[in-house]
Amino acid sequence: MSILVTGGAGYIGSHTCIELLNAGYEIVVVDNFYNSKRESLKRIAELSGKEFTFYECDIRDKEGLDKIFKAEKIDAVIHFAGLKAVGESCAKPLEYYDNNIAGTVCLCEVMKENGCKKIVFSSSATVYGSNNVSPLKETMMTGGTTNPYGTTKYMIEIILSDLFKSDNEWSISILRYFNPIGAHKSGRIGEDPNGIPNNLMPYITQVAIGKRECLGVFGDDYDTHDGTGVRDYIHVVDLALGHVKALGRALNQPGLDIYNLGTGTGYSVLDVVKAFEKASGVTINYKIAPRRPGDIATCYSDPSKAQAELGWKAERGIEEMCADSWRWQSTNPNGYPD
Ligand code: NAD
Ligand code: UFG
């Protein structure tokens, strides 16, 4: 069974490749290294003890993708490739619409032309917009996204559902991730952001390692238990295992399925800071800063559908997430080497 993993050199993709190899799948990875390094692929092989095929290719390169489908026997695709920075998407909307939407359309066209109709797609809790009240359920209204990145995820969900309506032979699994953090237990792979991190956990770990002076906590006047924003942090290995389960279902039955992948528990920014300090033994210098535009007070999942239908449940708690993030950062202070 051979699975094409687009964006497999990236943060979530690399962890998923390991779990796919551990589960006995053969994988073919495609990446253009826009936001990743070749070294992550070496470490996937090192940690899994298995070899796999890699193609440096952009998913918008139709000819290139077609050659890959002709050369390999691909049974299904897990599609991570895309751009993901909310702020950057506001500055460069056309790049985001082109990469994420045109890239996905190109990939689906090549899949269809080569008779491969099974795809697991990386969506995001951002598609719920700001009008729903947590816990968020898959049946809630989507849309009302507040930035081009979120809108690409929302639009791709619509494109995939129209594709399924046009041809019920497709198996499409849309996974809405909440906030992935943590790293592989070994500390050999993890999140390696370029420049100043946008997200909370990489910012905290960079303060802990001494690369940044102080964490800005974006707002302490939200309607939450301590006034800071509440999110559903999920260990990236739990997320990766969710993909293995979703893939198993997609391989066995056609359909369009949407699943939240979260823990169902919300933690505030200050809860995460405290948990990190406890797990690492390092004190985090922070100060309260103004709210970040576009942020909402609270966002956490109802993950019960994934448990009922996929038999998947997040197992790793916040301290383990923090300890694993810290192991990765402290043993790779500058991320992956070039
Ligand atoms: P990442 O940037 O680490 O990984 C994405 C990978 O895709 C990178 O290796 C990048 O080089 C590659 N890529 C980008 N555009 C490409 C293209 N046109 N052709 C080939 N390769 C390309 O990001 P991640 O955190 O691993 O996220 C993976 C997916 O999950 C993305 O689609 C992202 O939008 C989605 N997602 C991430 C989060 C999060 O918080 N990390 C939350 C929700 C959804
Ligand atoms: N935060 C800070 N300081 C920072 C960074 C973040 O206080 O330096 C706070 C935010 O205000 C928020 C929480 O930490 O309350 C989490 O922020 P992140 O940027 O880590 O994550 P978001 O929930 O804002 O965004 C994430 C992904 C998006 C995705 C969104 C919806 O980064 O891609 O979840 O699921 F769209």
Side-chain angles (χ1 to χ4, degrees):
M1 199 61 81
S2 195
I3 311 302
L4 183 79
V5 184
T6 73
Y11 172 46
I12 305 169
S14 57
H15 288 83
T16 304
C17 285
I18 291 182
E19 300 308 329
L20 289 168
L21 291 165
N22 288 346
Y25 289 103
E26 281 174 19
I27 61 170
V28 175
V29 174
V30 167
D31 206 298
N32 66 355
F33 298 120
Y34 178 88
N35 195 37
S36 52
K37 304 258 174 66
R38 235 168 244 285
E39 178 68 18
S40 76
L41 299 175
K42 285 193 199 148
R43 297 193 186 181
I44 294 169
E46 165 201 309
L47 291 171
S48 65
K50 294 188 179 151
E51 293 300 319
F52 57 91
T53 310
F54 171 72
Y55 292 91
E56 185 168 350
C57 178
D58 192 298
I59 56 162
R60 292 163 296 178
D61 172 2
K62 197 169 179 197
E63 234 173 81
L65 271 188
D66 188 60
K67 278 190 192 142
I68 297 169
F69 273 84
K70 299 265 178 322
E72 310 287 339
K73 200 203 147 308
I74 305 294
D75 296 288
V77 176
I78 304 187
H79 176 32
F80 295 104
L83 307 183
K84 63 165 184 176
V86 171
E88 186 186 60
S89 79
C90 298
K92 300 176 176 172
L94 298 179
E95 277 189 28
Y96 273 68
Y97 288 118
D98 181 43
N99 202 331
N100 294 4
I101 297 181
T104 302
V105 170
C106 177
L107 171 68
C108 290
E109 277 171 352
V110 176
M111 289 175 67
K112 188 178 161 195
E113 285 163 18
N114 286 277
C116 174
K117 295 184 179 178
K118 298 178 170 79
I119 184 167
V120 176
F121 171 64
S122 302
S123 190
S124 164
T126 195
V127 301
Y128 289 110
S130 52
N131 295 324
N132 291 302
V133 176
S134 293
L136 299 167
K137 291 179 84 68
E138 292 86 347
T139 46
M140 287 176 170
M141 274 276 284
T142 53
T145 46
T146 53
N147 57 76
Y149 164 72
T151 305
T152 67
K153 293 294 176 189
Y154 172 63
M155 288 170 77
I156 294 168
E157 288 201 2
I158 294 173
I159 291 167
L160 292 175
S161 88
D162 285 341
L163 180 59
F164 180 72
K165 279 183 212 150
S166 76
D167 177 356
N168 287 182
E169 281 179 12
W170 279 81
S171 290
I172 298 174
S173 188
I174 292 174
L175 304 181
R176 293 179 180 157
Y177 311 158
F178 282 70
N179 290 56
I181 60 171
H184 191 267
K185 261 276 159 293
S186 63
R188 296 288 290 158
I189 61 168
E191 188 171 9
D192 183 16
N194 284 327
I196 302 172
N198 298 303
N199 298 115
L200 180 62
M201 183 53 78
Y203 208 106
I204 290 177
T205 60
Q206 291 199 7
V207 171
I209 199 88
K211 273 182 123 173
R212 316 256 157 224
E213 218 168 275
C214 181
L215 168 73
V217 174
F218 298 148
D220 68 347
D221 56 354
Y222 285 109
D223 183 17
T224 62
H225 65 274
D226 62 14
T228 67
V230 166
R231 297 290 183 275
D232 185 342
Y233 297 94
I234 173 170
H235 197 295
V236 67
V237 173
D238 278 326
L239 194 63
L241 291 167
H243 288 73
V244 178
K245 294 284 192 180
L247 175 69
R249 182 175 166 100
L251 285 169
N252 286 316
Q253 60 190 88
L256 174 85
D257 295 305
I258 302 178
Y259 298 105
N260 285 339
L261 294 185
T263 64
T265 303
Y267 289 101
S268 72
V269 176
L270 294 180
D271 290 337
V272 176
V273 169
K274 274 183 225 136
F276 183 85
E277 290 181 335
K278 191 167 171 212
S280 65
V282 181
T283 301
I284 298 301
N285 184 23
Y286 73 85
K287 65 167 191 285
I288 305 301
R291 289 183 178 194
R292 183 170 64 178
D295 275 357
I296 54 173
T298 300
C299 172
Y300 61 92
S301 66
D302 174 344
S304 55
K305 187 180 176 203
Q307 182 165 12
E309 294 186 11
L310 300 177
W312 172 88
K313 188 174 178 286
E315 306 283 353
R316 293 158 180 80
I318 191 73
E319 280 195 23
E320 188 170 354
M321 298 181 212
C322 292
D324 292 344
S325 291
W326 178 231
R327 189 176 304 105
W328 154 253
Q329 178 74 79
S330 53
T331 54
N332 302 267
N334 297 312
Y336 293 114
D338 282 321

